[in-house]
Amino acid sequence: MEYFLSETQKEIRGLARKIAEERILPVRAELDEKEEFPWEIMKALAESDMFRVFVPEEYEGLGGGCFDLCLVVEQLSRVCSGVAVSYAASALGSITLIQAGSEEQKKKYLPDVASGKKLAAFALTEPSAGSDATALKTTAQKVAGGYILNGTKQFITNGGEAEIYTVIVLTDKTKGPRGASAFILEKGMPGFSFGKKEKKLGIRASATRELVFRDCFVPEANLLGREGMGFIQTLRTLDWSRPGIGSQAVGVAQGALEAAVDYARQRVQFGHPLIALPAVQNMLADMAIQVEAARALVYAVARTVDSGAKDFTEESAMAKVFAADVSMEVTTKAVQIFGGAGYMRDYPVEKMMRDAKITQIYEGANEMLRGTIAAELRKRRGRRD
Amino acid sequence: MNIIVCIKQVPGTTQVKIDPQTNSLVRQGTKNIINPFDSYALEEGVHLKERFGGKVTALSMGPPQAEEILREAIACGADQAFLVSDRLLGGSDTLATSYTLSRAIRKIADFDLVICGRQTADGDTGQVGPELAETMGLPFVAYVNKIEEVGAGQIRLQRMVEDGYEVIETSLPAMISVVKEINVPRLPSLRGLARAKSAAVIVWTAADIEADMSRIGLNGSATKVIKIFFPNRERRGEKLQGCMEEQVETLVQKLRESRVV
Ligand SMILES: Cc1cc2nc3c(=O)[nH]c(=O)nc-3n(C[C@H](O)[C@H](O)[C@H](O)COP(=O)(O)OP(=O)(O)OC[C@H]3O[C@@H](n4cnc5c(N)ncnc54)[C@H](O)[C@@H]3O)c2cc1C
């Protein structure tokens, strides 16, 4: 399919693919097995300027947008979603800063994100606040010169590995969501510690941890934007980042499709390769259609985001929901085509199926995002120009 | 610290075919790459630059298309690149090649260290490095697997030998060849690729480097390639009979016959 990528975008995609095939492929099974954080690969991504892709040029980035980020994430995820999300979470952890940070804050933190010297993370979820982000409990109490944070964040990607954290907490408990604010926290601040590393079904190369704040002092200079803007900033951040999850989903589905075609060409039953069976052909054709349709939607939405459009909540949710469902379906079919072999760790498709599942859950469970889409539909009465 | 890295363009495959008519390598259809051994040399150069400052110059002798690998070298961190390319250089053996490279290095002039790979993946001789050092009268350390320290006007290195490694100190300027154990070559960077696109690869002819025409190309080559062929591998086996003394005697005789001893 011709997606009219610019020369630079082709270069980004090509280099991301090279890194995926040369550096990730040889170790992905081991990373998955050992649940090991891929520092070596993060270093290779940094050396190749991949973390510069989503950072504005003024802060030593390459000034690409959501689409360029998606191109990298897709290529990495095609080989290993666990690595892809560790990379993508650094972008997620920087978006609020890019969108709402002051010149000084951006100058202080973004160059290190761009060079890959430091990873970033985004922390919203709490034990009592998952889909319902308005149920936050972590508080920031105003004191002279700053704030004192208390509470726990849960399931934070890059938790413990990242140096820079965007954390959403309540500065005013009485105001509900209007009392939320975003802060930049640095690893090592007194009172800021990490819980145990979660053991996961998939994306096992990535690190997921609790962030624990006990009377953690944060200087005033680390408040992003104004007090009370945290919830709106979060919505804007997630609208921007969801196509990235879409591209993660497309990448793993693409990887599974390729593996399934290769296997079906070579596995012989009843005297013919599996790919000669109409039932297998139908499955493969459906998989290919779904992957391409998901990719086209993700790319179109990423471009909408980059076009400077004001409101793309609905589009962004669509890209994430559709691609995630496709990803789950395609990876499941890939395992089916592999038969018993697909169920074994010797082949990559069972890992892909485990990895795909998370895309339906995080950055808004698909069910919840369908609710978001329906609300927008209601507003615009289903009309399109 | 200014470093010159010598790199060669080779076919990007280990399955090199030989044209039986012309006795030369079939280059069509294979993508050309930086000689894998040279990529360690390049990485070490870039790494040294990052540690001690200075600049890295990539140098190659080859056909005009070798410009591509020089651009790749820039994408991987080289600051500038020179290509010596001239029809007159055709048919160069290792002696003529090392002479030609020495002329180019003399023209670049400003350097503390020349790094090359231990051998090429196509020619496989491993001779150009040492010959180049000899031609230039530079101290040469082969098979370096670690650069320990760089001080004022000198360098301390580890080089691999059969049963371990040696630590060697030498004055600068010097020349070294490196083995693959020395580092993991980086992939290109996006900014490097952008730089590589706009960078000028300077092409020099034999005249530009003021080469002595009798020492380049076929004229300057001490060896002539008469034929390239796949060796016929024959395996034979024979079980010797008789008592020990008889067996030894027959064995020695057979070895003499087949001119092994
Ligand atoms: C591996 C991993 C990494 C994560 N990384 C991060 C991170 O970096 N930062 C961060 O802040 N969070 C992160 N999360 C948290 C993630 O975003 C939440 O898990 C997710 O939002 C769902 O919340 P929950 O787990 O509390 O599920 P719940 O909110 O308890 O929901 C459970 C299920 O109920 C249904 N449901 C809930 N609400 C609705 C609704 N309104 N409409 C319809 N159905 C609904 C859905 O089916 C949903 O799957 C991560 C989670 C995981 C598992």
Side-chain angles (χ1 to χ4, degrees):
Chain A
M1 198 85 87
E2 175 56 63
Y3 287 112
F4 302 100
L5 303 190
S6 68
E7 277 311 306
T8 312
Q9 286 167 335
K10 283 182 191 160
E11 233 162 56
I12 291 173
R13 183 180 62 178
L15 190 50
R17 191 183 186 94
K18 200 173 158 76
I19 296 170
E21 290 183 345
E22 291 181 16
R23 298 291 160 90
I24 307 177
L25 189 60
V27 293
R28 72 167 165 198
E30 191 187 338
L31 291 173
D32 177 57
E33 187 74 29
K34 295 191 179 157
E35 303 199 83
E36 203 176 282
F37 191 78
W39 273 117
E40 281 290 311
I41 298 165
M42 292 298 124
K43 192 167 156 261
L45 289 167
E47 279 176 353
S48 297
D49 292 334
M50 289 297 151
F51 289 101
R52 294 188 196 279
V53 161
F54 53 85
V55 176
E57 281 172 304
E58 306 90 282
Y59 312 104
E60 296 175 29
L62 290 166
C66 176
F67 190 23
D68 290 6
L69 174 68
C70 285
L71 291 171
V72 178
V73 173
E74 179 186 341
Q75 289 306 321
L76 302 182
S77 186
R78 174 176 164 267
V79 172
C80 178
S81 275
V83 171
V85 74
S86 307
Y87 162 79
S90 208
L92 175 64
S94 315
I95 297 167
T96 322
L97 176 61
I98 293 169
Q99 290 181 345
S102 66
E103 189 58 27
E104 219 178 335
Q105 290 168 330
K106 291 194 245 191
K107 276 218 173 84
K108 179 166 180 196
Y109 293 109
L110 287 177
D112 283 347
V113 173
S115 68
K117 194 173 148 211
K118 293 179 177 173
L119 291 180
F122 179 79
L124 170 69
T125 308
E126 296 180 10
S128 63
S131 300
D132 182 8
T134 64
L136 294 183
K137 287 216 167 77
T138 301
T139 55
Q141 195 198 340
K142 185 84 189 79
V143 293
Y147 298 82
I148 301 281
L149 266 61
N150 273 294
T152 300
K153 294 287 170 186
Q154 178 181 259
F155 302 159
I156 306 309
T157 304
N158 283 355
E161 313 293 340
E163 303 282 334
I164 300 167
Y165 295 81
T166 300
V167 182
I168 313 299
V169 298
L170 296 177
T171 38
D172 188 344
K173 278 191 279 189
T174 62
K175 287 193 184 154
R178 282 167 203 274
S181 305
F183 289 91
I184 291 280
L185 270 88
E186 293 175 40
K187 185 178 179 173
M189 283 179 160
F192 176 16
S193 61
F194 302 100
K196 70 163 190 354
K197 187 169 160 180
E198 305 287 349
K199 291 190 165 22
K200 304 194 293 289
L201 170 74
I203 55 166
R204 285 157 55 96
S206 74
T208 315
R209 283 194 180 85
E210 268 182 355
L211 314 186
V212 183
F213 307 106
R214 281 206 193 94
D215 294 329
C216 171
F217 176 78
V218 183
E220 207 155 50
N222 286 33
L223 173 69
L224 288 173
R226 283 181 288 119
E227 261 188 45
M229 294 298 289
F231 205 64
I232 292 167
Q233 288 163 353
T234 299
L235 294 178
R236 288 188 59 205
T237 294
L238 294 174
D239 283 349
W240 199 96
S241 73
R242 278 188 188 116
I245 302 297
S247 64
Q248 184 193 330
V250 169
V252 66
Q254 174 69 35
L257 172 64
E258 290 173 23
V261 174
D262 285 347
Y263 189 79
R265 280 164 53 112
Q266 150 252 308
R267 167 76 172 166
V268 175
Q269 287 292 279
F270 305 103
H272 298 288
L274 291 181
I275 203 161
L277 297 168
V280 173
Q281 289 177 359
N282 281 338
M283 266 200 279
L284 287 172
D286 281 341
M287 288 157 76
I289 294 165
Q290 284 178 302
V291 173
E292 210 55 63
R295 178 178 290 122
L297 180 59
V298 169
Y299 286 10
V301 172
R303 282 183 155 134
T304 305
V305 172
D306 290 340
S307 73
K310 275 231 153 53
D311 183 3
F312 38 80
T313 300
E314 185 185 353
E315 291 82 352
S316 164
M318 284 177 172
K320 190 268 187 187
V321 168
F322 183 68
D325 286 350
V326 160
S327 188
M328 198 62 233
E329 212 175 311
V330 167
T331 53
T332 308
K333 280 185 179 148
V335 172
Q336 191 67 20
I337 289 171
F338 270 72
Y343 204 73
M344 304 300 160
R345 295 243 166 138
D346 304 335
Y347 292 90
V349 285
E350 61 84 27
K351 172 187 183 293
M352 290 168 172
M353 184 176 161
R354 289 186 282 112
D355 285 353
K357 185 63 209 174
I358 191 61
T359 60
Q360 293 179 307
I361 297 173
Y362 60 19
E363 291 204 21
N366 274 14
E367 294 71 26
M368 202 194 74
L369 292 177
R370 285 193 162 86
T372 307
I373 294 165
E376 295 289 327
L377 272 175
R378 210 165 146 178
K379 262 195 251 168
R380 62 179 176 89
R381 295 170 56 218
R383 306 289 193 278
R384 272 281 185 241
D385 323 326
Chain B
M1 175 153 185
N2 293 332
I3 297 154
I4 296 173
V5 179
C6 300
I7 62 177
K8 187 187 180 188
Q9 168 192 269
V10 298
T13 168
T14 45
Q15 242 73 73
V16 181
K17 288 198 195 73
I18 295 164
D19 184 331
Q21 247 80 57
T22 62
N23 280 334
S24 59
L25 298 176
V26 180
R27 289 183 190 272
Q28 274 122 343
T30 57
K31 193 182 169 308
N32 290 315
I33 59 167
I34 296 180
N35 171 39
F37 295 103
D38 299 345
S39 60
Y40 302 101
L42 176 62
E43 174 64 32
E44 203 52 29
V46 176
H47 188 62
L48 284 174
K49 174 183 82 170
E50 285 167 354
R51 275 168 73 188
F52 303 107
K55 65 172 188 271
V56 174
T57 304
L59 169 65
S60 188
M61 172 185 129
Q65 310 89 279
E67 192 183 316
E68 267 171 56
I69 60 148
L70 286 168
R71 287 195 188 281
E72 203 180 317
I74 292 172
C76 290
D79 299 280
Q80 55 175 1
F82 295 96
L83 172 64
V84 187
S85 191
D86 196 319
R87 296 183 81 112
L88 296 170
L89 299 171
S92 293
D93 70 355
T94 61
L95 191 67
T97 302
S98 53
Y99 169 73
T100 308
L101 289 173
S102 78
R103 293 307 309 163
I105 291 173
R106 285 272 172 257
K107 188 164 163 106
I108 296 168
D110 177 19
F111 69 92
D112 304 291
L113 186 67
V114 181
I115 313 180
C116 62
R118 60 177 287 184
Q119 69 197 67
T120 56
D122 56 354
D124 229 10
T125 66
Q127 290 170 358
V128 171
E131 285 176 2
L132 174 56
E134 192 60 32
T135 315
M136 299 200 64
L138 288 173
F140 180 68
V141 183
Y143 307 128
V144 171
N145 65 312
K146 187 175 180 184
I147 294 182
E148 289 191 348
E149 236 178 73
V150 180
Q154 60 178 31
I155 188 166
R156 194 169 71 222
L157 330 120
Q158 280 183 21
R159 81 187 207 105
M160 305 251 284
V161 288
E162 233 163 81
D163 47 1
Y165 62 84
E166 295 171 352
V167 177
I168 291 181
E169 228 173 65
T170 175
S171 60
L172 293 173
M175 178 157 174
I176 63 173
S177 76
V178 297
V179 292
K180 69 177 195 309
E181 286 76 10
I182 195 167
N183 57 41
V184 181
R186 73 193 67 193
L187 292 164
S189 68
L190 291 171
R191 292 199 297 191
L193 286 170
R195 220 180 313 121
K197 243 186 287 180
S198 55
V201 170
I202 296 159
V203 182
W204 283 335
T205 60
D208 289 335
I209 54 172
E210 293 169 35
D212 173 349
M213 295 300 158
S214 69
R215 294 184 66 184
I216 61 168
L218 276 175
N219 289 338
S221 295
T223 55
K224 297 268 171 299
V225 177
I226 294 162
K227 191 177 174 194
I228 302 180
F229 58 95
F230 286 107
N232 261 337
R233 284 230 182 101
E234 263 186 80
R235 282 188 180 190
R236 275 181 301 163
E238 192 181 335
K239 202 161 184 179
L240 303 178
Q241 309 285 343
C243 72
M244 182 80 84
E245 278 78 23
E246 283 168 13
Q247 283 190 37
V248 169
E249 205 153 295
T250 348
L251 179 64
V252 170
Q253 194 189 330
K254 290 206 179 271
L255 287 175
R256 285 228 172 91
E257 273 169 18
S258 53
R259 297 198 187 169
V260 179
V261 290

